[in-house]
Amino acid sequence: MNKAALATALGSPAAFGQSQFAFMRGNAFEARVKADGGTELMRLLYERMGAGAGCEPPVPGGTLLPDLAAAGPEGRAARTALALRGATAAGAWTLLDHPMLALEVAGSPAYLEPDAVVVHPDGQWSVVEIKSFPMIDDSADAAKVGAAARQAAVYVLALERVAAKVPGARVGHSVLLVCPKDFSNLPAASVVDVRKQRAVTRRQLERLTRLEDLAAALPEGTTFDVERPAEELAAAVESVDAAYAPECLAACELAFHCREKARAAGAVEALGRGVRGELGGLTTIGEVLAAAEGAAGDPADPAVAALRRAAALRAEALADARAGERTLC
Ligand code: SF4
């Protein structure tokens, strides 16, 4: 489902995403990096990755730029696979601009679009990610680089599915990250090793429950069709277990909806995963308060004992503060 459309239909639209200005700036930077038949991009790639492989440098204007246009994502993925095969057989520097890759996720095909993939003359395929966050003195925000590495690792996995059927092809486990240099509009590049992210993502994909099994667990007739009335949609979403945590706010379009539900239910998850872990068997804020006040909970439970100790310290501090106020008066 389109979770952003679902969140809007539920009355809790997602409030994150790139601003229009940042989006346009990102597009303009990417166009600049790929201008002139990818001359600058290929220069950066050769400088950072190509020279060690013993390939001749790409000649300005000499890089092949296959046409990847086709109808629908399936058609574009097939066209990309064909272009990758052709480029590998030709043994020439080739730049695939916004190729389309397919990857099976939970038993269903998902379509992915990297910024670019470069085929080296020796048969190596390299993923290129172009980001608009700055690279200052050759280093960028570690969290943003980590997110880009996780994203690129998924592209590497999808490319490996294609490469397995192409003689002489191999997918590089290092990707080229291109960012603006020191807040300017000039590109800077660095090589990011995504082996770890690739291994983690592969394990996660292998463990995912198949979509058919997830769908089979839903009540008969459940639909997330955003054209349905909001109450019906809310009931459909309610039929799926959610484990809201504040971390969802940065990653999921349904975060505001799930936060509202979690708060209404008094769920301790709304306070954060760390707090949830500390509270052990206490799952609602009501239970936590009752345990702290001594009205419920097993005193032998370490979480209950800690809460009571904290409540006693708080009461003591408040009593001291009140006594202090009286003395001043
Ligand atoms: S629990 Fe978090 S990740 Fe799951 S749907 Fe809600 S907001 Fe999204």
Side-chain angles (χ1 to χ4, degrees), residues 3 237 240-245 247-249 251-259 273:
K3 286 198 290 177
V237 172
V240 183
D241 282 345
Y244 172 78
E247 291 83 350
C248 294
L249 289 166
C252 180
E253 292 86 344
L254 286 171
F256 287 164
H257 174 80
C258 290
R259 183 176 66 176
R273 291 197 178 113

Side-chain angles (χ1 to χ4, degrees), residues 150-238:
R150 287 192 293 279
Q151 186 184 348
V154 184
Y155 301 148
V156 167
L157 283 172
L159 269 178
E160 283 175 342
R161 306 287 188 279
V162 185
K165 297 178 198 142
V166 178
R170 70 172 195 289
V171 182
H173 289 170
S174 291
V175 304
L176 188 76
L177 178 65
V178 184
C179 297
K181 185 178 165 60
D182 303 333
F183 300 109
S184 72
N185 210 10
L186 299 170
S190 90
V191 174
V192 182
D193 185 338
V194 299
R195 276 177 300 180
K196 195 170 148 215
Q197 291 84 352
R198 175 190 162 276
V200 170
T201 309
R202 202 174 67 165
R203 274 200 302 277
Q204 285 172 341
L205 286 173
E206 281 166 2
R207 282 205 304 257
L208 279 183
T209 311
R210 292 177 65 82
L211 286 184
E212 291 90 334
D213 300 335
L214 291 174
L218 294 177
E220 189 74 26
T222 300
T223 173
F224 299 116
D225 179 355
V226 293
E227 300 299 329
R228 308 299 299 170
E231 308 79 61
E232 203 182 305
L233 263 181
V237 172
E238 205 66 19

